[in-house]
Amino acid sequence: MKKALLSVAAVLLLTPMVMTAQPVQAASWHSGAPKAIRGKYQAKKHSSAQGFGDIYQITAHTYTYGASGMPGFQATKLRYKKLSAHTWRLQGKVKANPSVHFSKIDEKIYRKGKKFAATDYGTKFSKLSWATKVSAFH
């Protein structure tokens, strides 16, 4: 009988401690770009009219994108959040430019091995968004 009363008392005493534990924020924002996605990446050309495939260059503090025949941009003040094992959400600010009419980026980035993909957050990766890691742009 004493053992039963002691176990009930222990459960009653420990229950408030368990219930007041704070939840952990697994997907918190971090400044800069994650080490796993830093580097130079280039996609294949998809037509003969294209001079070069899309290029991406990611450093600790900048995200640069360029496409043949299109104005490129560079984003700074980066922050990221890990979404899954090989996927991140990257946000940054773009400097004012006469040919670029937006001031922020919000990208979803996938990287595993040499495979890399980037697209606007909220959309699916397409065939055109895949690139591979390179040492120099061609």
Side-chain angles (χ1 to χ4, degrees):
M1 185 73 167
K2 285 185 179 182
K3 287 183 183 180
L5 287 174
L6 286 175
S7 61
V8 168
V11 168
L12 290 175
L13 288 174
L14 293 176
T15 301
M17 288 185 226
V18 174
M19 299 300 278
T20 59
Q22 295 294 323
V24 176
Q25 293 290 334
S28 61
W29 289 98
H30 307 282
S31 62
K35 289 181 182 179
I37 66 170
R38 294 180 195 169
K40 296 179 181 182
Y41 306 93
Q42 187 165 14
K44 292 181 181 179
K45 293 193 308 184
H46 295 285
S47 71
S48 59
Q50 201 176 13
F52 57 89
D54 295 355
I55 58 171
Y56 305 88
Q57 184 171 3
I58 303 170
T59 65
H61 303 288
T62 61
Y63 173 81
T64 307
Y65 171 76
S68 181
M70 300 293 287
F73 68 84
Q74 183 177 42
T76 57
K77 297 184 180 177
L78 301 177
R79 67 182 197 151
Y80 72 93
K81 177 190 290 195
K82 189 164 187 168
L83 300 176
S84 65
H86 302 285
T87 309
W88 294 266
R89 181 178 183 180
L90 184 69
Q91 293 181 338
K93 297 186 188 276
V94 178
K95 285 186 176 182
N97 185 333
S99 57
V100 176
H101 299 299
F102 53 91
S103 61
K104 296 179 183 176
I105 62 159
D106 192 1
E107 300 273 317
K108 180 169 64 172
I109 295 178
Y110 173 87
R111 165 113 195 297
K112 185 174 181 183
K114 291 187 176 187
K115 285 182 98 174
F116 175 87
T119 188
D120 290 331
Y121 183 75
T123 60
K124 293 183 179 183
F125 295 113
S126 70
K127 189 186 262 187
L128 300 176
S129 61
W130 291 98
T132 56
K133 190 164 189 165
V134 295
S135 57
F137 299 122
H138 305 307

